[in-house]
Amino acid sequence: MRVKRYVVDSMPEALQKIRTDLGKDAVILNTKEIRTGGFLGMFGKKKIEVIAAIDASSNVGNAGASRVSPQQIQRSQASVAPATPVREQLHRSDFPEVPDVLAAPVPVKKELVAVPSAAEAVPAYSPHQVYAGQSVAAPAKSIPKEELLLEELKQMKEMMRKLSVSSVQTELPEPLKKLEQRLLDQEVDATYVGQLIDEIAVEHEEAQETVTDESAHHSVRRKLNEVFGNHSSKRILPQTRVVHFVGPTGVGKTTTIAKLAAEQVLKYQRKVGFITSDTYRIAAIEQLKTYATILNVPLEVVFSPQDLAKAFHNLEGCDMIFMDTAGRNFRNEMYVSELNALLKSQGNSETILVLSLTTKYRDMRAITNNFNKFKLDKVLFTKMDETDSYGAIVNLVHEFSLQLSYVTNGQSVPDDIQEIDEQQIIDLLLEEPQS
């Protein structure tokens, strides 16, 4: 095997060089971010180190200008990870002959799939990302159209709702108007609010009942209870051995872990251990180490998925292990994919998504949509004491059918955390006094 190292400014530049030097059958073994130049280790310029390899028996002498046959494409695809949605739409016999990126551009019919350019073929670069045998000439993964389809479905449902309601009555009763505005002020999704209020109006119309403040509140409460449904236990299950906490930056994952660990140690007398992979944030390890010292529990630090086996071995005597992951920009699907490699455990596990109630729902939705593609068991909300808007809870459960767990309402450890109470949330949404 012939292995070659490249130091470049960007991944597209690396791909171009690899194609030229090693040909289309080359594979990328590893990429990482390095710094070159500078003074005493500072002010260095960021570069990307790429390690590529090619089988010594491959003919790379003229690979840069050769054309790719359908058989070569099939062999290249066989060495890549499981097929993407784009590949699932293609039959093995349907691959067109595709020109190399160095050859003169050739017009391609719209119904044919062309090999993407170097810039399109490379996803957003993430430091320390390892590529396991990915072919340089492999087709790029298509961008999912899920959000667009969901938006179109919402518009269709809204249109049908308006058509069905317009034949029943033209104007909402005053009690329903007040509740509709209240839910909108609480930032409950406008489409869902319209659907909920109109359904209640239709029910009263069909029953020939007058809408009063009391009946309107009762109906809205019933509809919201249907959204929350009857879920299983919110707390961490006794048989769970590893609990992963994931989420964006600044939502309070580490403090939340300390609160839940204190509950397990002090209330249930379980032996708890900590694992942290948050090596990006300054003093993140020290913060968790402080909590570990106070609770007298062991702490393991992992820098890569390869370190997990050793960490689990060192904590094999623990009844429950809490794993703190790095807060990153999880609107970026690449970071979520990188984190998913760390969500491997020995024994029963739960993955809890931690979100702040002070975050805009639009951002919550994007984050949850990325995480929901992997194993996600429950959602935990923080900073309830820092907002008076709770509609995001309804939106998230309604759209993603997530299992609610805990909510935090302060920074005191081990206090200021409790199992979320759906009736309390409904009371806050409707401004009813708590019982």
Side-chain angles (χ1 to χ4, degrees):
M1 176 176 285
R2 179 184 174 192
V3 180
K4 193 165 183 179
R5 173 178 176 268
Y6 298 87
V7 178
V8 294
D9 293 321
S10 65
M11 285 301 295
E13 179 185 348
L15 263 190
Q16 189 71 27
K17 290 184 177 182
I18 294 171
R19 286 169 177 263
T20 303
D21 296 347
L22 303 179
K24 287 185 173 293
D25 291 328
V27 294
I28 296 175
L29 300 179
N30 185 41
T31 66
K32 69 177 181 179
E33 185 180 279
I34 61 174
R35 289 183 177 271
T36 59
F39 177 71
L40 296 178
M42 298 184 293
F43 312 111
K45 184 178 180 182
K46 287 185 178 181
K47 295 279 190 177
I48 301 174
E49 180 189 78
V50 182
I51 307 297
I54 183 70
D55 192 339
S57 62
S58 299
N59 182 15
V60 299
N62 196 28
S66 64
R67 301 175 70 85
V68 182
S69 68
Q71 291 77 13
Q72 288 174 316
I73 292 179
Q74 292 174 9
R75 287 198 301 270
S76 176
Q77 287 185 323
S79 65
V80 186
T84 64
V86 170
R87 295 174 195 156
E88 292 172 0
Q89 300 171 7
L90 299 176
H91 296 287
R92 289 181 177 269
S93 60
D94 292 339
F95 286 106
E97 184 174 344
V98 184
D100 187 80
V101 293
L102 298 180
V106 178
V108 181
K109 293 183 180 181
K110 290 185 178 179
E111 62 269 18
L112 299 181
V113 179
V115 170
S117 64
E120 294 171 340
V122 182
Y125 172 71
S126 175
H128 313 298
Q129 180 67 27
V130 177
Y131 296 84
Q134 179 176 355
S135 174
V136 176
K141 184 177 181 180
S142 65
I143 300 175
K145 303 294 183 182
E146 296 174 1
E147 292 192 10
L148 181 60
L149 291 175
L150 286 174
E151 187 63 31
E152 290 178 355
L153 287 174
K154 279 188 176 182
Q155 292 175 1
M156 291 177 64
K157 288 175 66 176
E158 179 70 9
M159 181 181 66
M160 297 301 294
R161 179 187 64 81
K162 290 181 178 179
L163 289 174
S164 62
V165 173
S166 61
S167 60
V168 178
Q169 59 183 47
T170 57
E171 187 175 352
L172 287 173
E174 191 62 29
L176 288 181
K177 280 185 178 180
K178 289 165 56 179
L179 286 176
E180 180 181 43
Q181 188 57 50
R182 172 61 185 168
L183 292 174
L184 292 174
D185 291 342
Q186 282 287 310
E187 299 182 9
V188 180
D189 180 69
T191 301
Y192 173 65
V193 171
Q195 177 186 346
L196 181 149
I197 295 297
D198 287 341
E199 286 177 359
I200 294 174
V202 171
E203 289 175 0
H204 281 77
E205 182 72 18
E206 291 177 348
Q208 297 182 351
E209 297 177 350
T210 302
V211 181
T212 63
D213 288 338
E214 183 179 356
S215 66
H217 271 80
H218 176 77
S219 296
V220 171
R221 177 178 287 275
R222 173 172 52 82
K223 292 287 185 181
L224 292 175
N225 272 314
E226 290 175 1
V227 173
F228 289 126
N230 295 319
H231 297 291
S232 57
S233 174
K234 300 180 182 69
R235 65 182 59 190
I236 299 172
L237 300 176
Q239 63 268 28
T240 298
R241 184 167 188 271
V242 181
V243 186
H244 307 103
F245 292 84
V246 298
T249 58
V251 296
K253 291 191 298 298
T254 305
T255 304
T256 301
I257 288 174
K259 294 176 181 179
L260 292 175
E263 178 187 45
Q264 295 295 323
V265 171
L266 303 176
K267 185 176 180 180
Y268 300 108
Q269 288 77 48
R270 293 194 179 106
K271 188 174 181 181
V272 172
F274 288 154
I275 294 178
T276 179
S277 63
D278 190 358
T279 57
Y280 296 92
R281 184 166 58 92
I282 297 175
I285 297 176
E286 293 300 322
Q287 181 184 3
L288 193 60
K289 186 181 294 185
T290 301
Y291 289 131
T293 302
I294 294 173
L295 296 172
N296 192 27
V297 300
L299 169 67
E300 295 289 328
V301 181
V302 299
F303 295 90
S304 68
Q306 289 73 26
D307 297 333
L308 276 177
K310 181 181 178 182
F312 284 130
H313 175 74
N314 293 339
L315 299 177
E316 62 182 0
C318 296
D319 301 319
M320 187 173 292
I321 298 172
F322 290 87
M323 183 169 178
D324 188 14
T325 61
R328 305 279 295 278
N329 176 17
F330 288 113
R331 288 178 59 91
N332 188 327
E333 187 177 351
M334 192 62 150
Y335 290 152
V336 181
S337 299
E338 180 181 354
L339 174 66
N340 189 52
L342 290 170
L343 303 185
K344 297 177 181 177
S345 57
Q346 299 175 358
N348 294 329
S349 67
E350 293 183 32
T351 301
I352 299 179
L353 174 62
V354 183
L355 295 173
S356 169
L357 285 174
T358 59
T359 304
K360 294 183 298 184
Y361 180 67
R362 181 177 178 180
D363 293 331
M364 279 192 194
R365 184 176 181 273
I367 294 166
T368 307
N369 190 54
N370 275 348
F371 272 111
N372 212 34
K373 298 171 185 176
F374 306 105
K375 180 180 180 291
L376 193 61
D377 298 297
K378 296 176 182 176
V379 60
L380 184 154
F381 293 100
T382 62
K383 305 184 182 181
M384 186 176 178
D385 57 315
E386 297 181 22
T387 183
D388 58 0
S389 175
Y390 311 99
I393 300 176
V394 177
N395 296 339
L396 211 66
V397 174
H398 178 255
E399 185 167 354
F400 295 96
S401 300
L402 292 177
Q403 165 67 53
L404 296 174
S405 57
Y406 296 87
V407 62
T408 69
N409 51 11
Q411 297 183 351
S412 297
V413 178
D415 305 321
D416 295 342
I417 189 169
Q418 63 186 30
E419 293 181 41
I420 194 167
D421 184 352
E422 293 90 345
Q423 300 308 313
Q424 179 191 24
I425 300 302
I426 294 176
D427 288 340
L428 293 170
L429 290 170
L430 302 180
E431 269 189 340
E432 294 184 1
Q434 299 183 23
S435 56

